[in-house]
Amino acid sequence: MSGLRGLGDLARGRLVVAVSAVVAVVMLLPLVLVVLDVHSAGWAEIHRVLFRQRSAMLLTNTTELAASVVVLATMLGVAAAMLTERMTLPWRPLWTVLLVLPIAMPDFVVGYTWHTLWPTLDPLGASVAVMTLGSYPLVYLPVSAALRRSDITLEDTARSLGAGTVRTFARITLPQIRIAAAGGAVLVFLTVISEYGAFEVLRFNTFTTEIFSEFQFEPDAAGALSIPLVLMGLSALLLESLLIRRQSSFRQPRRTQSRTAAWRLRQLPALLVVLVPTGFGIALPIATLVYWMRQGQHATLPAVATLGQATWESVKFSAGGAVVAVLAALPVAMLTFRRHSTTRTLIDRAGFVTQALPGIVVALSLVYLTTRYVFSWYQTGPLLVLGYAIIHFPLAQVCVKSAAATASARLYDVGVSLGRTPLTVFVRVTLPLLAPGLAAGLCLVFLTAITELTATLVLAPIGVSTLATQFWAFQGNVAYAAAAPYALMIVALAVVPGALLGLWFAREPGGTQRVTA
């Protein structure tokens, strides 16, 4: 009997590996398609596009922008985390949620509101400011979690020995949070090189804006321009892997309960650290959208979809992408639930490759696939859902894996030993333990998919208009008042799961789980 049970476990284990391998192949598909697309363009076209003066300008712009945003977002994220985790900040629960919310604000909406208020802003300066305010939560969340895990008695000991605040931070606190801060900085870099809408609104040329322009008139040139972006993303992913490897050898500090210093009136200027990003990143854009809605400007461009229709299409496709991504992440997360091997590790890591590919590159690869091999799928709803699922799969995988890591495999063994079938034990024991991670993955993928602009513009079915595409059409026609309701609806739909995620991460003992390879 035990032999039959062992064979059954082996078969189910191989089934999970086989299903996960299929998922990994699908996630690696965009990278393979990019290589095929570039190869079909030919070396002469690649050389002509990449080794021209404009490409050098795009490389300079992208590098300068990414470097500036990474530095500023890292400084802001670390400062905000120190303020909320090491001080008794007034209304701290409120600030911890507000500081996370900018991640739910679409950067192209923030850029649009800033451009309507100050149309003569310097393109580079405005782009740096918008991306810094929108991406610093990627540093704030992991650094906050690292501070909650860190041993605060070391800081107390340093102060008792006469070390000042700055020296204590540099010698004691920084070594404990540097891996989290560096990992967040890598995510900020990936976010910046992937953004399109904000830079197009603010008139700042990068590789993504050029790829989108070339895609409409010269697809081969767009494919060639994808090469630098892919190399940048893969380099960042490699750097992150090295950081994680170093983290595994880093001595884990003893966990102690964080203690915050008493709030003093002379620390009032520190409130600027939370007031500036929440004011300019949340309050100002929302107030601007409300202002334009009240103007009642008549647009010369007729709406393809009403606000209700566009909302339904956005929710439908985003929810579909979230469900597909979470369902695909479930077997991959279960791979390392009970067993570890080289094959399982490789399959697990393959899912994170899409993290290094900007959304527009994934979208172009799917266009290449459908126009060459399965044209009946070109610009259809299922293709858009698949695109959302592939682009945001790493987010779902991290959430489900974090829940699987806290689930005890011994409970599964106990359930089976009591005579229950493995399927019954999975449904009644394992699945409830994974439920928080599944819900977090659904929320995170949904809010990022509903704010996705580039992939939606490329993959949306003909005749279908989502909130993002309808907003983009109106703002391109300088119909700011007509665009405002669609932008405000995107913000409303994204802010609710964003706030829930902020509360969820804040309640986790280990804090947030970073998207890592």
Side-chain angles (χ1 to χ4, degrees), residues 87-103:
M87 289 186 179
T88 307
L89 193 66
W91 311 297
R92 180 179 175 276
L94 174 65
W95 291 118
T96 54
V97 174
L98 289 178
L99 285 169
V100 176
L101 279 187
I103 202 173

Side-chain angles (χ1 to χ4, degrees), residues 326 395-396 399-400 402 435-446 501 504-505:
V326 170
L395 302 176
C399 292
V400 181
S402 65
L438 296 173
L442 282 171
C443 287
L444 196 54
V445 175
F446 176 80
L501 276 175
W504 185 76
F505 282 129

Side-chain angles (χ1 to χ4, degrees), residues 247-302:
Q247 184 183 28
S248 62
S249 62
F250 186 76
R251 186 176 64 85
Q252 293 296 321
R254 181 170 58 89
R255 294 186 181 186
T256 58
Q257 186 175 2
S258 296
R259 179 175 59 79
T260 54
W263 173 259
R264 297 171 183 171
L265 190 60
R266 63 184 174 82
Q267 295 170 328
L268 193 60
L271 271 179
L272 291 176
V273 175
V274 293
L275 285 175
V276 169
T278 55
F280 284 91
I282 302 174
L284 181 63
I286 292 177
T288 306
L289 292 175
V290 172
Y291 166 78
W292 281 113
M293 279 187 64
R294 292 171 61 88
Q295 296 305 302
Q297 176 189 0
H298 178 71
T300 56
L301 179 70

Side-chain angles (χ1 to χ4, degrees), residues 184-221:
V186 170
L187 292 182
V188 171
F189 177 81
L190 292 172
T191 302
V192 173
I193 66 171
S194 303
E195 177 60 28
Y196 161 73
F199 305 147
E200 183 68 19
V201 171
L202 296 170
R203 308 288 191 266
F204 187 71
N205 294 317
T206 64
F207 275 119
T208 52
T209 59
E210 188 73 8
I211 288 174
F212 192 83
S213 300
E214 296 284 5
F215 165 70
Q216 302 174 65
F217 306 104
E218 200 173 353
D220 286 345

